[in-house]
Every structure is written in structure tokens, then in C-alpha cells.
Amino acid sequence: MTSSPDAPVEPQRTVVHLLRHGEVDNPGHVLYGRLPGYHLSGLGHRMAELAAEHLADHDVVHVVSSPLERARETAAPVAEAHGLEVSTDDRLLEAVNAFEGLLVAGGKGLLHHPRLWPKMLNPLRPSWGEPYAEIVHRMRDAVVDARAAARGHEAVVVSHQAPIWMIRLATEGRSLVHNPARRECSLASLTSLTFVGDELLSLEYCEPAAMLLPQAQKGAGA
């Protein structure tokens, strides 16, 4: 039985998976932010492979990544599993941070840099880097474009902890002001947005590399 040409068209279901990169090789424990040359560690590559295995049976047709090495290296096994190329998008970059390149784990390292103390005056903006609202704006645009590229299928968007957490807070209608130590966005985790048409249906979170997280190094990172 054929459908009537006047029958309403059901909106398509599209999933955009926001994948955080795996562990980075960072023996100096610096806040590397957007600095070049920071690659996945051996453990980080294993995390990326677990994320790829988790997504292997998904209908992924589009993979896009932050241009930073750790993100592209995390995207690579996902794209390979689906016979895809990895495109890059500057809107997925890590947040700008004035403490980049410094030993500032937990904020304690800032005691050694008095010139940076004024950057701590307004955590609501935050004064040390890119405003939260600007991160949300660029990430939202990147998600919209990924959704369009994968319409009716699934897209994987590889980014960093702060940008992924910002778009999650905004999507859930929560305040953007938060304690970075309490972000639910572990290494190689997936924050998955399911849309029907252009309307958000659900947001789900999972940790494909959970078994490896206890082995990850502690300290500053991005």
C-alpha cells in the first residue's frame, strides 16, 4: 500500500554524539589548553578505541573533530570503523584560558604567578578565559551543522571537556556557572543528543572507557 502524497512526513531522528578526547601524554602536568603538540598517551589511544567499539554498530555517517591533535587522534578510530574521513571544525576547540602552559592543577599553582591573580576575580564570566556564553554559542552552531550533515543518521563530534560540558548545561537549562571539578564529562565519554527533526528529544551520557579511568594520570589537563 502506497502512502498518499499529501500524507505528513515524519520528522527524522538524528543523534549527535559529543565525544571527549582520551588521556593526553602530559608528563609536565601543565594546563595545555590549545597548545599544539599534545598527543594522546598510550592509555588515551586505548580509550579512543573503546569509544570506537562502543559506536561500531551505530549508524554514524559524519565524524568531525576539534583541530587539536588529541581530538583528531580520538576521532580517527571512530571514523575508520565506519569508513569515513575526519573533518575539523575550529568551533570545537578547547576554551581559551589565560593559564595555558602553567602548573595550575586545582588552582594552587596560581600562587606562584601574582600577575595572573586578577584573572581569578570573576569566576562567573570567567575572567580567566573565554566567556561561558561564547563557548555555548559556538558549540551550539557546531552541533546544528553536525545534525544537518547526519540528518536521519548519527554524527560524532570530538571536542574537549569544557565545551562539551557548557553545551550540556545550556541544553539542560542549567546555570553555566559551575565547579570545573564536578563536570560529568570523563575522558572518552559520550554526551549524546537525540533529535526528532530539529527538536531535542533526549540527552544521554555514558563512559565507554570507564574501566581505564582509574589508570589515568591526575592533574591539570583539558
Side-chain angles (χ1 to χ4, degrees):
M1 180 177 178
T2 59
S3 59
S4 165
D6 297 324
V9 177
E10 291 293 325
Q12 293 176 305
R13 178 181 178 277
T14 308
V15 183
V16 178
H17 302 282
L18 305 177
L19 171 60
R20 186 188 172 194
H21 62 78
E23 184 195 61
V24 173
D25 184 15
N26 181 22
H29 299 282
V30 301
L31 181 70
Y32 39 80
R34 292 187 175 189
L35 293 175
Y38 281 87
H39 297 266
L40 293 183
S41 65
L43 184 68
H45 281 288
R46 288 167 58 198
M47 290 177 172
E49 290 166 2
L50 286 175
E53 290 174 12
H54 178 85
L55 293 165
D57 62 350
H58 286 247
D59 184 22
V60 176
V61 299
H62 180 65
V63 179
V64 59
S65 170
S66 156
L68 293 172
E69 294 96 335
R70 60 191 185 271
R72 289 188 284 109
E73 291 165 359
T74 301
V78 176
E80 182 179 3
H82 295 276
L84 301 170
E85 297 293 326
V86 178
S87 59
T88 59
D89 188 336
D90 287 349
R91 294 174 297 184
L92 302 175
L93 277 165
E94 177 57 285
V96 175
N97 195 309
F99 308 140
E100 206 171 77
L102 301 178
L103 294 166
V104 294
K108 297 177 182 178
L110 290 173
L111 297 175
H112 304 294
H113 302 280
R115 65 183 176 80
L116 293 176
W117 292 352
K119 297 290 185 180
M120 295 296 292
L121 293 179
N122 183 8
L124 305 183
R125 184 179 183 268
S127 52
W128 58 79
E130 187 177 5
Y132 292 144
E134 291 183 11
I135 299 173
V136 170
H137 178 76
R138 62 178 170 86
M139 284 294 291
R140 182 173 284 143
D141 286 349
V143 167
V144 167
D145 285 352
R147 182 182 68 203
R151 181 76 66 179
H153 305 278
E154 300 182 37
V156 176
V157 175
V158 186
S159 187
H160 309 267
Q161 187 188 69
I164 293 174
W165 186 242
M166 288 295 96
I167 194 65
R168 176 171 172 180
L169 290 179
T171 298
E172 294 180 336
R174 291 195 270 166
S175 170
L176 301 182
V177 180
H178 67 284
N179 180 349
R182 296 184 179 179
R183 293 171 180 163
E184 187 181 36
C185 187
S186 68
L187 294 165
S189 63
L190 286 164
T191 300
S192 302
L193 308 172
T194 299
F195 298 90
V196 175
D198 295 337
E199 297 298 318
L200 182 68
L201 177 65
S202 65
L203 184 153
E204 298 179 352
Y205 174 80
C206 70
E207 299 179 345
M211 68 179 72
L212 300 180
L213 294 177
Q215 302 175 44
Q217 67 177 358
K218 309 302 178 185

